[in-house]
Each structure stands twice: as C-alpha cells, then as structure tokens.
C-alpha cells in the first residue's frame, strides 16, 4: 500500500529545541507539528531530555520468546535488510527491525556502533518506542503508522542530536501493524534518498508477507530490489570482486545507450578507460570508498560526458571480504546545475528592473534588448557603478538561455596568475596546491548558460590567448590536462576601460577585442542622465525606509536639486550608498533636505539655488549659466570651477570655448 513520506525540511531546529526545553513551549511553525506534538507527549511521559544513557531491554529469555512470535516478520525482512545493507554500504549506519511494541528484533550494519553507543538502545531486545526514549523515528512510525525521518535536534533527548533515523512501518496482509524497519546513523552519513529506499524495502517486505508459496519469495524479492535500483535517479552499477557486472539500473543503461544483455556478465573495464578502471580496482583492493571521482565511460559512439562517481566496496559481514562494488554516478553537468542552483549562480534581473526614463538609458536598454534576442558575444561598456552586471543579467534572462546558469567572474578581483585556472579549471597535480581531483572552471559551470566576464580589460595577456581560443572553438582544456571538453556558453564581457586605447598600449589583444566587440552596449553614467537621479533617489529612499522601518515626513526640493548638481563619479552605486547613509542618520517623522547629505556632496554643490522655468531654458543654456555662475563664485579659478562642476579641466576649457565664455569674462 502507498505511504506518505514525511521528512525534515527545517535545518534551523536547534534553537527551537533549546527554546522548548527552557520554556516548555515555542512559537508555532518553528518545527513540524508532528515533532512538536511528540515533544509534548515526551514531556508528559516524564522523560529526561538530558539523560546520559537510556537502557531499556528484555532478558535473553524474553527476547527469544518475542522473536519466536515474530518469525514470519523477521524471515521475510532479513533478505531486504541484507540488500539495504549492501546498498548503503556505510560503516556508520545500522539497519534495525522492531516489533509493533518497539522492541528491536534484529539489526545489521556496523557492529561497533552497538558496542560504542550501547546506551542509545541500538541493540537487540532494547525498546525504542516514544514512551521509552522520547521523540524518535521508530517511535513516531509506530504512532502515526507512516514513514518518517527524524533528524538531529528533532529528537527529544539530547544524546540523539548527532543522529538521523529513517523509519517505515510494516503491515501484514490485513493492514495490521507488525513492526518497523529503520536505518540509523550519524547525521552526515544519512542521505535524503535513504527514506525512499527504506519505504521501497518495507513495501517489498509487505508484499513478501502476502505470498503463500516459498518458491515465489526469492523472485519477488529480486523484483523489488530491482525496482529500488531502477527508481534511483542516478546511474548504478554493481559488480563482483572480479569486476564482472552483476546489475545495472535504468538510468545507467539509458546513459550508456545499451541493454542489460550488452553488459551483464561482462567485465566493467569494457566500458571504462584504463585510468578509470584502475580507480575501481583500487577501491576493491584497498576496501576503501571513493567519492566524487571524475571518470568517462566508453560507448559505441565514443566517450561520454564526464561523470561524478562514488565507488562503494561491498563487504561480507562474516569474513569482511570484498564481494564487489556498487558504482553510482551522475553526469557532471547535472551536478554543476545543482551547484549553481545552491550557490545562486542564477540571473535575477530583467530589463524591467533597470530604472530610468532618460533618452540615454532607453537607448542602452534598446540595444541590450536586441543583444538578448541573439546568442552573440556582447561587450558592455561603462564606468564603474553604472549597473553593467544588471544589464548582463537582463540580457541573459531576455534570451533563450533564461533559467540556465549565469556565472560571474570579475577578472580584476582575483590574482592575475589565477584567472586562467578560474576560467578553465585544472587537473589534479597541475601545480603546487592544486586540489585533489582537480577543479572545475567557470566555463564548465556555465555550460548551457552564460558567463559574465566583468572587468575584462584587466585580464592578463596569456589568459586572453586562451579565451580567444575558447571563443573560436567552443572547447576548453583544463590547466595541466589534455582532455578537450566541449562547452556551450554565451559570453558577455564588461569593462570600464577604453579597450581600443588598451589595444594601442599593448595591454589588450586586438583580435580578442574584435571578437568581443561584436555587439557593444554603452551604458551611460549617472551624470549623463541627471533626469534619472530623482527616480533612483525615490527608489532607494523607499527601499531603505522599509528595510530600516523608518517613517519620513517628506522630501524637500533642495534635496533633489543638490543630488542633481553632484557629478556622481561612483554612479548609481555611489548614489545608493549616499541614500542609505541619509536614511540611517535621519530621525522618524523628519523632512529630508539637502542638509542631510554628507559634507563631501554639499561641498561640490555650492551653486546658489536658481529658479528656472524649464520651458524657457534649454539644457545648453542651463549648462552655460552654471559655468558662468561658478566662475563668478570662484573668481575665475578654473581648477576649482571644474572640481565643483564635477568635470575635468580640459572639458571645462572645451565648454568655455563652445559657449564663448572667455570673451564674456573679458
């Protein structure tokens, strides 16, 4: 019959447990209701949550009598316990079978756990129901009669906080509860799919119990064991101690594009390269589990994509001899996708998030929107702080690669000698300090998506050569390696430098510049779109007042005027920091005025207030008037005038010539 899988999704369980122990209650929703109810019951039972050991067990005679009463259950469960033990293959896990009253009838796994932690009620004859040891997976499974996993601090007693247990009830043919099957171990050894395998095994046991003829038992057991393998969402291959393939699941067969008959009974070296086969033999000979090994499989159509492989030796408990190995694997790109999802390698911004109504920003957004409709290499040009990464994310999200990885590398933020290894990765032993197993580069992580190379103008020349080769061939070779790895990545680069001048100076390769400059997008600085300053100011004021729970009375016009007079060399990033500072310093129910601005902003906005009718004055008229008034204030001090206006002296000379201001002053 079908059962509901109940697992823990709250990793922040420790504080709620401590709160409950201190106050005997907690805020609703901090833990699962089923756990909270169990804590209440455990408290009512009078169980000490800080007890050092719990040892409630039967005598040998009582255990024998209880075992005899449950022969049907233990006989049917034992083969599946053996199968589960081979699959999990861990020295830190134990598989237990209890009766309907919570007494342990049998166990398999690491016997040293029982010797070392006997006070935890792991052995035969001990009682693990809720009334005996408080909240635990087996006890809850007996109460709710559903599969459940209890993790760490969800246990009521502190001595179990380093353990995780998965438990699933077993029913007879009349749907009566007979007992519970469980897997228990230290938390880091238990995986999310453990409960799923346990449920499949429990279901198989229940089906076994329904069979009347003993000659069908083994056949059905094999079918359900096979179903467990087939349902796992990764490749799984079992071999004997000679490397002969004994079983292979559906995922592996589809990945290798072969049928069972093509591989069962053959040596696994027929689908592995020599160096990778040595890893399998090494695991067998050393009786050592290998994790996260990178290997390639051989098929009729050639080498597969790289795979991340775990190799687990299968040991015979009685003799401790190696019986074979279990090989599980996933495609490396699937692992990369999961890693990107976890670390946040995804683009969040769209063109809708880019603020501004000025002609300049609209023009930049239109150009970027065109770039998004293609897969062409795009170069974003603009000063620091104008939002180049936001544009890059918007381009990514506006194209066919939306939802795929968006990986960022700031070429100016890491040591120059590490840029190449970050971009292309390296193999094990490539250089002193290289990680065991090598390192995946940003291009591999971005496969199928977009890589954003920020501050491309700071990239070393040797890395530029490698990047040019990647752009042309769509392939990479890790540093120190020889394997050619095909990649499907869109490149968006950005820089605040003038790359044409950098080419003239010999700091940037001309061929790479032309390869990147296929579709350039120039992002205007904030001083080139002063009409957008108030839009950004309102956005940031609203954002920070909400975040800081501030309530302002209003905003004086002088505040906006001062903001527009400042040149904003740090662009939007600088404006955001200034607004955040203002909101931090202002009191509730206070007006925001120019006096709330930092001194360095006010010092550069010394022009007196000018009430202008915007319908009568053009921007050029206003610019000319601003220069004349500033020259008067500074008594013709050109250096100070340029500084106040936020422009260079050469720009000031050019504008004075344009507006014939020299003759006016004379």
């Amino acid at each position: 019959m079908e059962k509901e899988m109940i697992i823990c999704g709250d990793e922040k369980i420790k504080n709620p447990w401590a709160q409950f122990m201190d106050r005997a209650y907690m805020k609703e929703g901090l833990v699962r209701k089923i756990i909270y109810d169990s804590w209440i019951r455990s408290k009512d039972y009078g169980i000490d949550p800080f007890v050092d050991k719990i040892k409630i067990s039967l005598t040998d005679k009582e255990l024998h009598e209880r075992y005899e009463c449950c022969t049907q259950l233990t006989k049917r469960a034992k083969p599946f316990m053996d199968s589960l033990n081979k699959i999990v293959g861990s020295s830190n896990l134990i598989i237990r079978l209890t009766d309907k009253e919570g007494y342990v009838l049998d166990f398999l796994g690491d016997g040293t756990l029982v010797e070392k932690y006997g006070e935890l009620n792991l052995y035969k004859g001990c009682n693990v129901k809720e009334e005996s040891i408080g909240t635990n997976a087996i006890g809850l499974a007996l109460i709710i009669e559903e599969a459940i996993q209890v993790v760490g601090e969800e246990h009521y007693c502190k001595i179990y906080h380093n353990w995780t247990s998965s438990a699933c009830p077993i029913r007879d043919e009349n749907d009566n509860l007979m007992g519970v099957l469980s897997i228990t171990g230290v938390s880091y050894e238990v995986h999310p799919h453990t409960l799923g395998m346990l449920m499949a095994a429990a279901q198989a046991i229940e089906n076994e119990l329904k069979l009347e003829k003993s000659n069908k038992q083994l056949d059905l057991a094999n079918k359900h064991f096979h179903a467990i393998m087939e349902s796992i969402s990764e490749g799984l291959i079992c071999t004997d101690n000679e490397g002969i393939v004994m079983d292979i699941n559906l995922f592996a067969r589809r990945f290798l594009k072969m049928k069972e008959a093509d591989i069962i009974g053959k040596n696994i070296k027929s689908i592995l390269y020599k160096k990778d086969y040595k890893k399998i033999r090494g695991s067998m000979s050393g009786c050592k589990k290998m994790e996260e090994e990178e290997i390639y499989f051989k098929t009729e159509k050639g080498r597969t994509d790289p795979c991340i492989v775990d190799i687990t030796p299968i040991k015979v408990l009685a003799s401790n001899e190696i019986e074979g190995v279990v090989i599980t694997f996933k495609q490396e790109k699937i692992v990369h996708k999961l890693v990107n999802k976890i670390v946040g390698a995804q683009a969040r911004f769209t063109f809708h998030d880019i603020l501004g109504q000025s002609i300049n920003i609209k023009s930049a957004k239109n150009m970027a929107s065109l770039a998004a409709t293609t897969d062409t290499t795009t170069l974003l040009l603009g000063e620091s702080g104008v939002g180049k990464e936001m544009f890059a994310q918007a381009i990514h999200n506006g194209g066919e690669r939306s939802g795929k990885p968006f990986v960022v590398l700031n070429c100016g933020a890491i040591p120059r000698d590490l840029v190449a290894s970050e971009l292309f990765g390296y193999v094990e032993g490539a250089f002193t300090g290289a990680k065991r197993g090598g390192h995946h580069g940003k291009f591999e992580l971005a496969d199928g998506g977009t890589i954003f190379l920020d501050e491309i103008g700071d990239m070393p020349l040797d890395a530029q050569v490698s990047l040019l080769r990647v752009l042309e061939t769509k392939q990479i070779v890790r540093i120190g390696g020889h394997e050619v790895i095909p990649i499907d990545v869109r490149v968006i680069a950005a820089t605040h430098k003038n790359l044409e001048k950098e080419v003239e100076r010999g700091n940037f390769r001309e061929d790479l510049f032309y390869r990147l400059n296929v579709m350039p997008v120039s992002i205007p600085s904030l001083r080139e779109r002063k009409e957008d300053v108030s839009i950004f100011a309102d956005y940031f004021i609203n954002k920070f007042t909400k975040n800081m729970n501030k309530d302002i009375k209003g905003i004086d016009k002088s505040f906006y005027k001062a903001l527009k007079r400042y040149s904003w060399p740090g662009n939007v990033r600088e404006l955001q920091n200034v607004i955040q500072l203002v909101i931090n310093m202002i009191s509730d129910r206070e007006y925001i005025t120019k006096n709330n601005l930092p001194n360095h902003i006010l010092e550069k906005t010394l022009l007196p207030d000018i009430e202008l009718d915007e319908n009568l004055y053009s921007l050029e008229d206003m610019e000319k008037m601003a220069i004349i008034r500033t020259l008067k204030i500074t008594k013709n001090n050109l250096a100070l005038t340029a500084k106040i206006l936020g422009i260079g002296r050469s720009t000031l000379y050019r504008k004075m010539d344009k507006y014939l201001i020299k003759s006016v002053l004379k």
Side-chain angles (χ1 to χ4, degrees):
M1 64 180 292
E2 294 185 356
K3 305 180 182 68
E4 180 184 3
M5 182 186 294
I6 305 176
I7 62 174
C8 173
D10 188 356
E11 297 177 357
K12 300 179 179 178
I13 193 71
K14 187 171 183 179
N15 289 336
W17 181 86
Q19 180 183 345
F20 181 86
M21 293 305 154
D22 288 340
R23 307 174 185 176
Y25 73 94
M26 64 168 56
K27 184 179 179 181
E28 183 179 354
L30 292 181
V31 297
R32 293 181 288 167
K33 186 177 185 303
I34 194 172
I35 297 296
Y36 182 76
D37 291 343
S38 178
W39 286 358
I40 296 293
R41 291 194 299 271
S42 300
K43 180 178 181 297
D44 292 339
Y45 296 144
I47 296 172
D48 181 4
F50 300 99
V51 66
D52 292 329
K53 62 181 180 179
I54 301 174
K55 201 166 185 178
I56 304 170
S57 62
L58 301 170
T59 64
D60 290 343
K61 182 180 178 181
E62 291 171 337
L63 174 61
H64 178 74
E65 291 175 353
R66 190 169 289 270
Y67 195 93
E68 288 295 314
C69 293
C70 300
T71 301
Q72 185 183 17
L73 173 63
T74 56
K75 183 178 179 181
R76 298 296 182 264
K78 192 64 167 65
F80 294 94
M81 292 175 70
D82 289 334
S83 298
L84 283 173
N85 187 52
K86 290 179 181 180
I87 291 175
V88 296
S90 172
S91 60
N92 287 314
L93 294 174
I94 186 169
I95 301 167
R96 288 180 291 173
L97 178 69
T98 69
D99 65 9
K100 62 182 179 181
E101 294 180 12
Y103 286 97
V104 177
L105 300 174
D106 206 351
F107 76 91
L108 284 177
D110 191 350
T112 60
L113 286 180
V114 176
E115 297 175 4
K116 186 174 181 181
Y117 301 104
E119 70 275 13
L120 298 182
N121 280 21
L122 299 175
Y123 52 92
K124 290 183 181 180
C126 69
N127 190 272
V128 292
K129 62 184 178 180
E130 191 180 75
E131 293 93 326
S132 300
I133 65 172
T135 305
N136 70 95
I138 297 175
L140 275 173
L142 288 170
I143 293 173
I144 66 176
E145 297 191 11
E146 293 177 352
I148 188 169
Q149 187 175 74
V150 177
V151 181
E153 287 80 8
E154 287 186 322
H155 292 90
Y156 184 78
C157 292
K158 190 173 182 180
I159 59 174
Y160 295 109
H161 282 188
N162 291 328
W163 298 77
T164 294
S165 287
S166 303
C168 184
I170 300 172
R171 299 174 176 83
D172 63 16
E173 60 272 18
N174 297 318
D175 208 31
N176 298 314
L177 184 66
M178 297 185 69
V180 173
L181 184 65
S182 72
I183 296 179
T184 300
V186 290
S187 293
Y188 63 84
E189 286 287 348
V190 180
H191 302 283
H193 61 256
T194 302
L195 185 58
M197 291 192 298
L198 195 65
M199 291 174 65
Q203 181 72 63
I205 295 171
E206 290 180 355
N207 289 333
E208 278 288 304
L209 290 168
K210 296 175 182 178
L211 295 177
E212 296 181 358
K213 295 181 180 180
S214 59
N215 62 347
K216 294 182 180 180
Q217 293 177 5
L218 181 59
D219 179 60
L220 192 60
N222 289 333
K223 287 181 179 179
H224 282 282
F225 178 74
H226 184 70
I228 293 173
M229 289 187 60
E230 297 290 86
S231 65
I232 296 174
S233 59
E234 58 184 40
L236 193 152
I237 303 174
C238 299
T239 77
D240 65 12
N241 58 5
E242 296 296 327
I244 303 301
V245 176
M246 308 301 294
D247 214 336
I248 179 171
N249 74 344
L250 179 63
F251 184 100
R253 296 196 303 274
R254 286 178 175 174
F255 180 72
L256 298 173
K257 295 179 175 58
M258 58 175 52
K259 299 177 180 178
E260 282 186 295
D262 298 330
I263 186 63
I264 297 294
K266 297 181 181 178
N267 198 296
I268 195 171
K269 66 182 179 183
S270 63
I271 58 172
L272 290 173
Y273 291 90
K274 187 175 181 180
K275 65 175 183 177
D276 294 326
Y277 179 65
K278 287 182 178 179
K279 295 176 182 177
I280 308 293
R281 299 306 301 176
S283 178
M284 289 184 182
S285 60
C287 191
K288 182 179 179 182
K289 182 175 181 178
M290 295 186 178
E291 297 180 337
E292 298 181 1
E293 294 288 338
E294 183 183 73
I295 72 170
Y296 294 85
F297 288 99
K298 289 192 298 185
T299 68
E300 291 183 356
K301 295 185 178 181
R303 189 181 68 178
T304 65
D305 291 335
C307 296
I308 302 297
V309 174
D310 288 346
I311 306 167
T312 305
I314 302 172
K315 292 187 290 186
V316 179
L317 290 178
S319 63
N320 209 35
E321 294 180 353
I322 298 298
E323 193 176 79
V325 293
V326 174
I327 303 165
T328 57
F329 65 89
K330 281 184 178 288
Q331 287 179 268
E332 195 171 75
K333 62 183 180 181
I334 301 299
V335 178
H336 290 169
K337 183 177 180 180
L338 178 61
V339 170
N340 286 332
K341 184 176 181 180
I342 294 173
V343 302
Q346 302 290 325
R348 297 182 295 112
F349 298 112
T350 65
F351 288 112
H352 180 73
D353 298 310
I354 300 175
L355 302 179
Q357 295 297 324
S358 65
I359 295 176
N360 288 339
I361 196 63
K362 286 182 177 179
S363 175
K365 287 173 68 173
N366 289 338
M367 188 64 180
S369 298
L370 288 175
T373 61
T374 71
D375 211 32
T376 305
T377 301
T378 303
L379 181 62
L380 304 179
L381 305 169
E383 298 176 4
S384 296
V386 296
K388 294 189 288 293
E389 183 171 347
M390 180 177 281
F391 266 82
Q393 291 192 24
I395 292 171
H396 171 82
N397 282 331
E400 294 182 354
R401 296 177 185 265
S402 177
K404 301 296 179 62
F406 180 84
V407 178
V408 179
L409 179 68
N410 189 323
C411 302
I414 57 177
R416 297 175 67 85
D417 55 348
L418 295 181
V419 172
S421 63
E422 283 294 315
L423 279 174
F424 313 117
Y426 56 80
V427 299
E428 182 175 343
F431 50 81
T432 303
K435 291 181 181 178
R436 181 182 178 276
H439 175 72
H440 302 100
K442 300 294 187 184
F443 268 101
E444 288 184 77
L445 292 176
D447 191 34
T450 299
I451 186 168
F452 175 49
L453 302 177
D454 200 6
E455 301 301 348
I456 190 75
D458 295 325
M459 179 177 284
L461 285 169
D462 55 344
Q464 292 180 30
V465 175
S466 300
L467 175 60
L468 180 63
R469 188 183 305 115
V470 171
L471 293 175
E472 292 174 345
T473 65
K474 302 295 183 182
Q475 297 174 335
I476 65 165
V477 177
R478 292 183 188 173
I479 294 175
H482 304 287
E483 302 285 351
V484 176
I485 303 173
I487 49 119
D488 173 26
V489 176
R490 178 181 187 169
V491 175
I492 300 177
T495 183
H496 71 281
K497 294 183 176 181
N498 186 326
L499 290 187
E500 290 184 86
K501 289 186 177 180
E502 292 299 308
V503 170
E504 294 175 2
R505 294 167 183 161
N507 296 329
F508 203 84
R509 291 183 61 93
E510 184 177 24
D511 46 5
L512 178 59
F513 169 67
Y514 290 125
R515 194 70 176 77
L516 294 172
N517 199 40
V518 178
M519 202 158 192
V521 178
S522 295
I523 305 172
S525 64
L526 196 53
R527 64 179 171 276
E528 294 175 308
R529 48 176 180 138
K530 286 291 184 70
E531 56 266 53
D532 291 335
V533 170
S534 58
I535 296 176
F536 279 108
D538 288 339
Y539 173 80
F540 292 132
I541 288 171
N542 182 60
K543 173 183 175 181
F544 292 126
T545 51
K546 284 184 178 179
N547 291 346
M548 301 177 196
N549 199 24
K550 291 285 184 75
D551 182 17
I552 61 171
K553 192 172 183 180
I555 305 171
D556 192 79
K557 291 183 179 180
S558 64
F559 182 75
Y560 291 113
K561 289 181 180 179
L563 292 181
K564 290 181 179 180
R565 287 176 184 161
Y566 184 58
S567 61
W568 300 109
N571 292 292
V572 178
R573 186 183 295 122
E574 183 184 5
L575 176 58
Q576 175 178 324
N577 293 339
V578 168
I579 298 297
Q580 186 174 13
L581 174 63
V582 169
I583 301 303
N584 266 316
M585 301 301 293
I586 200 169
S587 303
D588 273 343
R589 303 302 298 167
E590 182 181 344
Y591 272 106
I592 299 178
T593 72
K594 70 176 182 180
N595 295 327
N596 295 116
L597 290 169
N599 289 334
H600 76 278
I601 301 287
L602 293 175
E603 288 173 358
K604 296 182 180 180
T605 58
L606 294 177
L607 285 174
D609 290 341
I610 308 172
E611 294 295 336
L612 296 176
D613 185 341
E614 295 181 357
N615 294 320
L616 298 178
Y617 294 92
S618 68
L619 289 175
E620 289 188 347
D621 289 337
M622 295 175 70
E623 184 176 59
K624 179 178 178 180
M625 292 173 64
I627 294 173
I628 293 173
R629 285 178 177 269
T630 308
L631 285 169
K632 288 180 179 180
I633 291 172
T634 62
K635 298 180 180 180
N636 291 335
N637 185 325
L638 299 182
L640 181 57
T641 298
K643 186 175 182 181
I644 291 174
L645 293 174
I647 58 178
R649 291 182 66 177
S650 59
T651 302
L652 177 60
Y653 295 149
R654 186 173 68 252
K655 290 184 180 293
M656 289 174 65
D657 288 339
K658 176 181 178 181
Y659 300 129
L660 302 176
I661 293 177
K662 287 183 180 180
S663 61
V664 171
L665 292 179
K666 291 176 181 178

